Amino acid sequence: MTVFFYGLFMDPEGLEAKGLRPANVRQAYIERFALRLGDRATLLADPDGRVYGTTATLTHGELDRLFSGPSVAAYRPEPVLVQFANGTAELALCFNLPTISQAKTTNPSYAADLRAVARKMGLPESYVASIGKQGVRAMAPSRDAGSAS
């Protein structure tokens, strides 16, 4: 299964440390969503948004194990259209929270970890810098910024 990751799971080394074998890892983005940070990351519909991350191929069993932990068990898969720097697009699964708590604000430690992973994965620097800096949402860079657009 091809999966779009936008949080800490976008790092293949982190997935490998959990005993998974991600294949075909590629930088990607999805349109019409915005990143929201609390204890972890989730996505919100946003007609002007763009969220960067990576895609990877994992087995059904690997996905079941990855999303069985208590901190991520509430995430649910939904289909998204991911886009790549070469202009191609494909369908992928994206795990997202079905309900979002309004009470929790950004976890500064998680935001710092996510910026480090996003930078490691080569996401556009304007996007990386925005993670955790705009209240609870990362804002998309301009459409012509960064090499991933």
Side-chain angles (χ1 to χ4, degrees):
M1 300 289 307
T2 299
V3 183
F4 175 75
F5 292 115
Y6 54 87
L8 297 181
F9 290 162
M10 74 174 111
D11 181 0
E13 291 176 1
L15 295 174
E16 289 166 358
K18 295 178 180 300
L20 308 178
R21 298 182 336 174
N24 200 24
V25 176
R26 298 185 286 169
Q27 191 182 96
Y29 63 90
I30 59 174
E31 300 281 5
R32 294 182 291 286
F33 286 95
L35 182 68
R36 172 151 182 195
L37 299 183
D39 284 329
R40 298 190 68 92
T42 195
L43 300 178
L44 295 174
D46 182 336
D48 299 319
R50 179 183 283 186
V51 175
Y52 289 86
T54 62
T55 60
T57 303
L58 295 169
T59 67
H60 287 282
E62 288 174 320
L63 289 172
D64 288 345
R65 282 185 306 195
L66 184 61
F67 286 97
S68 66
S71 68
V72 293
Y75 283 76
R76 298 291 175 254
E78 60 184 279
V80 294
L81 182 66
V82 294
Q83 299 182 51
F84 301 99
N86 66 2
T88 63
E90 68 181 64
L91 286 175
L93 284 181
C94 178
F95 285 77
N96 204 12
L97 289 173
T99 59
I100 300 166
S101 169
Q102 299 299 318
K104 181 66 178 169
T105 59
T106 300
N107 174 337
S109 176
Y110 182 87
D113 290 346
L114 184 52
R115 281 191 300 273
V117 167
R119 194 168 280 120
K120 174 183 176 183
M121 299 312 299
L123 302 186
E125 186 56 35
S126 59
Y127 180 78
V128 173
S130 74
I131 295 172
K133 302 292 185 189
Q134 302 292 329
V136 293
R137 292 174 48 194
M139 306 308 289
S142 66
R143 295 288 189 231
D144 55 9
S147 60
S149 45

